[in-house]
Amino acid sequence: MRSPSPGTTEWRRLFAAEAGAPRPDLALLCLLIGAEADPSLGQEGIDRARRLLGRLAEQAAHGHRCVPAEGSRAWAVALAELLGGRCGFRGRPGDYQRLESALLHQVLRRRRGLPILLSVLWMEVARRAGAPVHGVALPGHFVVGFGPVDDRVFANPFDGGRVLSGTDVDLLVTAATGAPPVPSMLTPAHTLDIVRRVLDTIRAWAAPRPERCDVSLWAVELSLLLPSPPPRLRYDRAQLLVRKGDFTEGARELDAYADEVAGHDTATAELARWQARGARALLN
């Protein structure tokens, strides 16, 4: 593969192509998000991160053979001992304040990250090692599950891979929602839903930081490259463009959004057209 220039349309072409693949590569998509955020990453950095995942997987497979436990628990224990124990991958409250905590290549470097990125790390290492693993998008906290439903073990990578009891899972969900989990919350998360949640997490980090409007913009633009994006993302992109001073493109995007929603929400469409006129007026 030719080495693309960081931050160019080539990165986004690769991202869109992978997102549209029959079996999208979660690690690659997360690393391509990192390429948007970090111009120094480059193809060499992406390849280096993927090789590291492979080396960790080899160690995880060896560790699994040495664990006395059986079934799903053996995989959970092996990953916790390797990644959380020997390698020291885990999270801290302060990690929520750092953009690096939402970028896979930086998580591999710093060994710190948000629950969802640490879970991506656990999943990608475990998958390469042959483990039956999946992500579980609990409200407010992402964890991983090992094994089938009738023998499933949950682990919390943010806490070094600690194996979770049923009560632990209930407490995590109750702390976020005020109510215990319902079965639908425990279903395996699809790859593209995980990527969307990563991008939403990045947007949430940037939202209270007006000086990082650029981060909000590229996170929205990558979200728009995923299959079947919600129309609201076009509106969000338009607002960010206007905020950055690109009034012409912002107005064009507002008009496009208005056209998209006019058939079922005339009031919202009219508001967007009014905002488009306001954006164009700022050119005078």
Side-chain angles (χ1 to χ4, degrees):
M1 182 191 305
R2 181 175 62 84
S3 213
S5 301
T8 66
T9 55
E10 181 69 4
W11 282 133
R12 297 191 181 190
R13 185 191 67 77
L14 292 171
F15 182 89
E18 190 61 38
R23 299 183 64 182
D25 185 324
L26 176 59
L28 178 56
L29 287 168
C30 288
L31 289 168
L32 288 170
I33 291 172
E36 281 280 347
D38 182 359
S40 69
L41 180 59
Q43 187 66 48
E44 182 179 347
I46 290 177
D47 292 342
R48 184 166 53 248
R50 298 178 83 179
R51 287 194 298 270
L52 176 55
L53 291 171
R55 290 196 297 271
L56 290 170
E58 292 174 2
Q59 296 176 56
H62 175 74
H64 173 252
R65 292 192 292 270
C66 299
V67 171
E70 296 182 357
S72 305
R73 181 170 290 272
W75 278 114
V77 171
L79 268 292
E81 288 182 351
L82 171 65
L83 298 178
R86 297 204 301 275
C87 295
F89 287 101
R90 62 181 58 242
R92 295 174 179 166
D95 293 320
Y96 285 90
Q97 305 306 315
R98 301 184 62 146
L99 177 60
E100 296 96 324
S101 301
L103 306 175
L104 181 57
H105 71 290
Q106 292 285 9
V107 172
L108 284 165
R109 182 183 68 82
R110 297 176 56 243
R111 307 195 177 195
R112 292 288 182 272
L114 299 178
I116 189 168
L117 267 298
L118 289 165
S119 293
V120 168
L121 169 63
W122 249 251
M123 291 163 58
E124 289 300 295
V125 170
R127 180 181 63 80
R128 285 167 169 78
V133 66
H134 55 268
V136 182
L138 298 178
H141 198 89
F142 208 99
V143 299
V144 295
F146 292 91
V149 173
D150 58 352
D151 184 36
R152 185 161 52 169
V153 173
F154 294 104
N156 182 7
F158 194 72
D159 194 14
R162 181 173 65 89
V163 174
L164 300 172
S165 67
T167 300
D168 291 329
V169 174
D170 289 348
L171 288 173
L172 282 173
V173 175
T174 301
T177 68
V182 296
S184 61
M185 295 178 182
L186 305 179
T187 57
H190 295 293
T191 296
L192 294 184
D193 290 335
I194 296 172
V195 174
R196 287 188 185 94
R197 186 155 165 166
V198 170
L199 290 168
D200 287 345
T201 298
I202 291 171
R203 292 178 63 196
W205 174 87
R209 298 172 170 85
E211 73 281 4
R212 299 315 310 267
C213 181
D214 60 319
V215 173
S216 295
L217 182 58
W218 64 249
V220 167
E221 290 176 340
L222 288 182
S223 298
L224 282 163
L225 295 177
L226 297 173
S228 304
R232 176 73 190 192
L233 281 176
R234 299 196 73 167
Y235 180 81
D236 293 344
R237 178 175 184 266
Q239 294 293 320
L240 290 165
L241 288 167
V242 171
R243 191 184 307 170
K244 284 176 62 68
D246 190 346
F247 304 123
T248 300
E249 181 61 22
R252 185 180 298 118
E253 189 79 331
L254 283 165
D255 282 334
Y257 170 72
D259 291 341
E260 194 165 355
V261 302
H264 62 272
D265 191 343
T266 55
T268 297
E270 285 304 310
L271 175 61
R273 295 191 202 285
W274 177 80
Q275 291 175 327
R277 291 192 293 272
R280 290 189 178 93
L282 294 173
L283 293 167
N284 298 328

